[in-house]
Amino acid sequence: MIPSRAPSPVDKLALAVVHQPDRAIPAPAGAREESLRGLLQTAADSRVTQVATRPDGDGERWLGQAWPFPSPFQVSVRTVSVSDGVDRVEARARRSLERLGLPRGDLLLISSAGDLAGAEGRALWDRLLALKDRGLYRRIGFCAAVEDGPALLARRFQPDVVQLPCNLLDQRAQHGGVLGELAALDVAVHASSVFADGLLFVGSESLPPEMHRHAPTLSRIRRRLAEARVDPMQATLAYAMGLPEVSAVVASIASAAELRAVVAAAHAPTPALDWAALQLEPAAIAAADSDAQGRGRVSSAA
């Protein structure tokens, strides 16, 4: 009998590979593929088993060409918008598996809670249920923001998974009771935007416009972490991974070097911090989200 492996901090870690030029280093096709293979092999060697994908550009196809063999990964897929109809959503979810080179996926997520709340919400959900029943996806769920009322949607549709932003600066999902409500419904929670768009990793001069007025508060939080001798990456990961209701922490990674840094931070001892004292005020977070949407800035899924 093979003994079971002891739990590891990376068991909760989900890898979202970033292909955008502003994060990933531009490279010729061959070098890019080699870099992606190295990233995925580093993930496999680090025992990271979850990979989150998006139906954007060629990212799925690049991943499909770079999996280590045999692949140790459980892969989540996100849908395209329902604005083009539920037939298009289903066809693209099937196409995602083809592009990824997979016979089936672990998780299919509706990309926006607004698609479920709209007129075609029930028809859309029924299509996902059918894909699950056919064995193409093991679990189904949706992505939501705190403002979307994810617990109400979960009561209505009974998903396996809800993915929502949850990070050190934005603790509304925890303190507003959303995580507890989802846990009571036996819904797994995947935390996204865990690095809070990198707000703790840049100076005040590099903040996006909608966050400039929060520069003093962010400086105070960074100072508290420095006084406690805790790296911001270690703190952000420790907060999200320490939430008992969260079963996966989705971290965006652009290189093997970034992944090694994240894995090292995940393995660091959990710091003794007053987490609630390190968040932005809920009203500030809500206002920043509203300003970002008005300016067309897309928040990172991880």
Side-chain angles (χ1 to χ4, degrees):
M1 179 177 179
I2 300 176
S4 59
R5 180 173 65 88
S8 165
V10 299
D11 291 343
K12 276 191 174 185
L13 191 62
L15 167 66
V17 179
V18 176
H19 303 284
Q20 287 87 346
D22 60 339
R23 284 280 304 280
I25 299 175
R32 182 191 62 227
E33 292 171 5
E34 187 62 28
S35 175
L36 185 53
R37 287 193 185 95
L39 169 56
L40 291 173
Q41 188 60 57
T42 299
D45 294 342
S46 302
R47 295 184 175 179
V48 176
T49 61
Q50 302 178 74
V51 174
T53 71
R54 288 170 171 263
D56 303 334
D58 290 319
E60 292 174 331
R61 181 172 59 81
W62 291 338
L63 284 169
Q65 295 170 348
W67 300 125
F69 184 82
S71 173
F73 300 115
Q74 297 175 328
V75 179
S76 69
V77 169
R78 288 174 61 162
T79 65
V80 294
S81 171
V82 77
S83 59
D84 292 330
V86 293
D87 288 342
R88 165 68 174 157
V89 173
E90 178 182 348
R92 190 60 179 81
R94 292 174 177 271
R95 178 62 175 155
S96 288
L97 293 179
E98 295 176 9
R99 288 162 63 86
L100 288 162
L102 301 173
R104 62 191 60 83
D106 176 64
L107 172 63
L108 179 60
L109 290 169
I110 293 174
S111 294
S112 170
D115 286 349
L116 273 183
E120 294 190 281
R122 176 52 64 181
L124 173 62
W125 190 251
D126 287 344
R127 291 297 181 96
L128 265 67
L129 283 171
L131 290 172
K132 179 182 177 181
D133 290 342
R134 294 187 184 107
L136 291 180
Y137 290 94
R138 187 171 69 88
R139 299 181 294 169
I140 57 176
F142 59 85
C143 300
V146 173
E147 297 85 352
D148 294 321
L152 291 174
L153 287 172
R155 289 190 186 94
R156 179 181 176 190
F157 292 102
Q158 299 180 317
D160 300 304
V161 176
V162 170
Q163 180 171 303
L164 71 164
C166 188
N167 58 66
L168 182 63
L169 297 181
D170 182 1
Q171 301 180 20
R172 290 175 296 165
Q174 177 190 13
H175 298 299
V178 175
L179 297 183
E181 290 179 272
L182 292 172
L185 295 169
D186 199 26
V187 174
V189 175
H190 289 190
S192 63
S193 298
V194 293
F195 296 135
D197 286 340
L199 294 177
L200 287 176
F201 302 89
V202 299
S204 299
E205 67 282 354
S206 300
L207 291 173
E210 64 273 8
M211 295 302 297
H212 282 168
R213 64 183 180 272
H214 305 300
T217 303
L218 289 168
S219 294
R220 174 182 56 79
I221 294 172
R222 284 192 291 267
R223 185 170 62 254
R224 285 193 176 189
L225 292 177
E227 291 170 352
R229 298 183 179 181
V230 178
D231 179 84
M233 181 179 290
Q234 180 188 354
T236 52
L237 284 173
Y239 169 75
M241 289 184 166
L243 295 170
E245 303 90 347
V246 170
S247 62
V249 174
V250 184
S252 62
I253 304 293
S255 67
E258 282 189 9
L259 177 58
R260 285 191 288 269
V262 168
V263 169
H267 278 288
T270 301
L273 294 171
D274 180 359
W275 299 115
L278 299 174
Q279 65 181 318
L280 286 179
E281 290 298 322
I285 288 287
D289 287 347
S290 177
D291 290 347
Q293 291 170 9
R295 293 174 182 270
R297 184 172 70 87
V298 179
S299 177
S300 168

